[in-house]
Amino acid sequence: MRWTFPSLSCGVRTLGIPTVVYRLIQQALLQVLQPVFEPGFSESSYGFRPERSAQQAVLQAQGYVPEGRRWVVDIDPEKFFDRVNHDILMSRVARQVKDARVLKLIRRYLEAGLMRGGVVEARKQGTPQGGPLSPLLSNILLTDWDRELGKRGLAFCRYADDCNIYVRSKVAGQRLLAGMVTFRAERLNLQVNEAKSACARPWARKFLGYSLTAHRQAKLRIAPESLQRLTGRVKELMRKGRGRSLAHTIAVLNPVPRGWIGYFQHTQSKRPLEELDGRIRRRLRCLLWRQAKSRATRTVMLRRQGLTEDRAWHSARNGQGQWWNAGARHMGAAFPKGYFDALGLTSLLDTQQRLQSRS
């Protein structure tokens, strides 16, 4: 039986998308194998495990820093899922799985051909991403690493192939980083991206989209890269919303900030959320200003929103651009936060406060 998977490019990774039948087989294997391996996994491993999440990993990582572990060894793997050695992985699986038929089935899954551009390519290493079984196999392979860290008494958090280790000094961190690079290469045949891996202060690195402040209590904050991605996504959606009604634009936009803040609800820095909320409202005001194309139409729009005749007339004729006007006082007075709240616009700060009040 030969398994072929169409390729789907996702950044620098390749996803192997199984057919419905093969996905069913993988899911069946997962349901049988997970209870076998789950008890042996580390308490500091959070990725792709029942009742565990990335947020839990972030919260545990935060707790290490106030204890005096104010240096982090951030290990960035080199294309982990594409570089897994099949023989090493199967030897780890065989420690607890003795049924030769199951082992053969897993091996065939790993070696399944990859269809790229209509041509089937042989797979000699790596685990196909996109199927239900790969996350479990990744945890099985990395269990040896978790045990090595635990044996040394190290404080660490791992989510899939993303791992941060917290230590008390830079010297200890640098020594540990060198040792872990060697351990992964010799024991697991896995490479580390040395350009992206480092021993640094936790507030200079990010972990699962979060970072920390430099305060002694190490408050959680959203990493700048995560803020930028949301800003870029909102900008893209707003560009698509040109020519559509404000209500329609908000309906299309809302799921993005709602889902985003659902993940980042544990941030303890309010100002970025306030700034993002303000930026989203400014973009919506920019859309309103653009849609009211003439000075006369803009005057009527502002007057209807409660501005005086004189202020509306002068504001509509100020000669400034759309973005400037969207941030000016006359648009803020005409279209305040309450106006967008009434239209159902998701507020990041308000949503976070609601989520935290429930927890």
Side-chain angles (χ1 to χ4, degrees), residues 3-4 38 56 88 96 118 127 130 199 243 268 277 301 321 357:
W3 295 8
T4 60
E38 180 65 28
Q56 290 175 332
I88 294 177
Q96 292 181 257
T127 61
C199 172
Q268 295 169 292
D277 276 340
M301 175 184 70
S357 66

Coordinates of all heavy atoms in Angstrom, one line a residue, residues 3-4 38 56 88 96 118 127 130 199 243 268 277 301 321 357:
W3 N 1.1 5.4 0.2 CA 0.4 6.5 0.6 C 1.0 7.7 -0.1 O 2.2 7.9 -0.1 CB 0.5 6.8 2.1 CG -0.1 5.7 2.9 CD1 -0.6 4.5 2.4 CD2 -0.3 5.7 4.3 NE1 -1.1 3.8 3.5 CE2 -0.9 4.5 4.6 CE3 0.0 6.6 5.3 CZ2 -1.3 4.2 5.9 CZ3 -0.3 6.3 6.6 CH2 -1.0 5.1 6.9
T4 N 0.2 8.5 -0.7 CA 0.7 9.7 -1.4 C 0.0 10.9 -0.8 O -1.2 10.9 -0.5 CB 0.5 9.7 -2.9 OG1 -0.9 9.6 -3.2 CG2 1.2 8.6 -3.6
E38 N 1.2 8.6 26.8 CA 0.9 9.8 27.6 C 1.5 9.8 29.0 O 2.1 10.8 29.5 CB -0.6 10.1 27.6 CG -1.0 11.3 28.3 CD -0.6 12.6 27.7 OE1 -0.4 12.7 26.5 OE2 -0.4 13.6 28.5
Q56 N -1.0 27.5 28.9 CA -0.5 26.9 30.2 C 1.0 26.9 30.1 O 1.7 27.1 31.2 CB -1.0 25.5 30.3 CG -2.5 25.4 30.6 CD -3.0 24.0 30.6 OE1 -2.5 23.1 29.9 NE2 -4.1 23.7 31.4
I88 N 15.5 6.3 14.3 CA 15.6 6.8 15.7 C 14.2 6.9 16.3 O 13.9 6.4 17.4 CB 16.3 8.1 15.8 CG1 17.8 7.9 15.5 CG2 16.2 8.7 17.3 CD1 18.6 9.2 15.5
Q96 N 7.7 0.7 23.6 CA 6.4 0.4 24.2 C 5.4 -0.2 23.3 O 4.3 -0.7 23.8 CB 5.8 1.7 24.8 CG 6.6 2.3 26.0 CD 6.0 3.5 26.5 OE1 6.4 4.6 26.3 NE2 4.9 3.4 27.3
G118 N 2.3 17.0 -9.0 CA 1.9 15.8 -9.7 C 2.9 14.7 -9.8 O 2.7 13.7 -10.4
T127 N 8.5 13.8 9.4 CA 7.1 13.3 9.6 C 6.2 14.2 8.8 O 6.3 15.4 8.9 CB 6.7 13.3 11.1 OG1 6.8 14.6 11.6 CG2 7.7 12.4 11.9
G130 N 0.3 17.7 9.0 CA -1.1 17.8 8.5 C -1.9 16.6 8.9 O -3.1 16.6 8.7
C199 N 21.2 32.3 24.4 CA 21.0 32.5 25.8 C 20.8 34.0 26.0 O 21.7 34.8 25.7 CB 22.2 31.9 26.6 SG 22.1 32.3 28.4
G243 N -15.3 50.1 -0.4 CA -16.5 50.0 -1.2 C -17.6 49.3 -0.6 O -18.7 49.2 -1.1
Q268 N -0.5 41.0 30.5 CA -0.7 41.9 31.6 C -0.4 43.4 31.3 O -0.3 44.2 32.2 CB 0.1 41.4 32.8 CG -0.3 40.1 33.3 CD 0.7 39.5 34.3 OE1 1.8 39.1 33.9 NE2 0.3 39.4 35.6
D277 N -6.8 48.8 19.7 CA -8.2 49.2 19.5 C -8.3 50.5 18.8 O -9.2 50.7 17.9 CB -8.8 49.3 20.9 CG -9.3 47.9 21.4 OD1 -9.5 47.0 20.6 OD2 -9.5 47.8 22.6
M301 N -22.1 64.4 6.7 CA -21.8 63.2 7.6 C -21.4 63.7 9.0 O -21.9 63.2 10.0 CB -20.7 62.4 7.0 CG -20.2 61.3 7.9 SD -18.7 60.4 7.2 CE -17.5 61.7 7.4
G321 N -5.1 64.6 4.4 CA -5.4 63.3 3.8 C -6.4 62.5 4.6 O -6.8 62.9 5.8
S357 N -12.5 38.0 33.7 CA -13.5 38.0 34.8 C -14.2 36.7 34.9 O -14.7 36.3 36.0 CB -14.6 39.1 34.5 OG -15.4 38.8 33.4

